[in-house]
Amino acid sequence: MAERLLEALKLAYEAEKEGLRSYLKYAKQTKVGVGKDMFIQLAADEIDHMELIENFKDKILAGQPIESVEVPKGRLSKFMPNVNDASLQPVDKGELGDEEALKIALEHEKKAMEFYKKESANTTDPKVKEFFEKLADVESKHYNIIEAELNFIKKDGFWFDTKEFSLEM
């Protein structure tokens, strides 16, 4: 099990690193402030995930027992607007590159979510299962945020304001 788990963690780490690179590139490219903020927050979450994965892997390699890991909910859930809030006012017009960046980001989050769900299903260790499930949950929230942004831009070309969003139900 350890060898397969270590390979899965290596793949997860590389995927998070690729997400980090992409989100920083998109943050640099977009001219819309809220878009920059969103991509920077996504990049910061990817760094958190990389650190969690690395620490998890190090404990396994050291032969330490696998313990429950606290996975942060993600920075975006603290400040993004509620997509159901009818009072939202558009702020800045997006560009075609912004829409394409969001589509790529959406696909990245979908793949990450599916990967973590698959790895969770493929293990019998409850702590490993929980770790992958928590990561899948954060990626799912990222997916929902990006999808909302993409839908908003497609509707009228504007990014939505980012002041009062909560993914907490």
Side-chain angles (χ1 to χ4, degrees), residues 28-48:
K28 184 178 176 184
Q29 289 174 346
T30 187
K31 294 175 178 69
V32 178
V34 295
K36 282 186 185 303
D37 289 345
M38 185 193 77
F39 286 127
I40 289 168
Q41 295 304 314
L42 285 167
D45 283 352
E46 300 297 83
I47 291 170
D48 288 347

Side-chain angles (χ1 to χ4, degrees), residues 39-83:
F39 286 127
I40 289 168
Q41 295 304 314
L42 285 167
D45 283 352
E46 300 297 83
I47 291 170
D48 288 347
H49 298 168
M50 290 167 62
E51 288 174 356
L52 288 169
I53 292 164
E54 190 69 24
N55 290 338
F56 201 79
K57 183 184 79 152
D58 288 347
K59 285 184 177 188
I60 292 167
L61 288 172
Q64 296 175 353
I66 297 173
E67 299 173 355
S68 184
V69 176
E70 186 59 39
V71 176
K73 292 182 180 181
R75 291 168 177 83
L76 287 177
S77 63
K78 297 175 186 161
F79 74 93
M80 295 296 289
N82 185 333
V83 294

Side-chain angles (χ1 to χ4, degrees), residues 1-2 4-6 8-9 56-57 60 64-69 71 115-136:
M1 177 188 100
R4 187 188 177 303
L5 176 57
L6 289 171
L9 292 170
F56 201 79
K57 183 184 79 152
I60 292 167
Q64 296 175 353
I66 297 173
E67 299 173 355
S68 184
V69 176
V71 176
F115 174 80
Y116 291 132
K117 284 181 179 179
K118 182 184 99 183
E119 291 304 319
S120 173
N122 285 339
T123 186
T124 57
D125 185 303
K127 300 296 183 193
V128 174
K129 184 179 281 298
E130 175 188 37
F131 179 66
F132 284 127
E133 285 173 353
K134 286 178 179 178
L135 286 170

Side-chain angles (χ1 to χ4, degrees), residues 70-147:
E70 186 59 39
V71 176
K73 292 182 180 181
R75 291 168 177 83
L76 287 177
S77 63
K78 297 175 186 161
F79 74 93
M80 295 296 289
N82 185 333
V83 294
N84 296 320
D85 185 349
S87 70
L88 290 176
Q89 297 297 314
V91 281
D92 291 314
K93 184 120 172 110
E95 298 177 353
L96 186 58
D98 293 337
E99 186 176 333
E100 188 59 30
L102 287 168
K103 287 179 182 175
I104 294 168
L106 190 68
E107 187 60 29
H108 171 77
E109 295 298 332
K110 179 181 177 185
K111 286 180 181 177
M113 180 179 49
E114 289 172 350
F115 174 80
Y116 291 132
K117 284 181 179 179
K118 182 184 99 183
E119 291 304 319
S120 173
N122 285 339
T123 186
T124 57
D125 185 303
K127 300 296 183 193
V128 174
K129 184 179 281 298
E130 175 188 37
F131 179 66
F132 284 127
E133 285 173 353
K134 286 178 179 178
L135 286 170
D137 185 54
V138 174
E139 303 298 353
S140 174
K141 289 175 182 174
H142 286 173
Y143 181 91
N144 291 338
I145 289 166
I146 295 166
E147 184 177 50

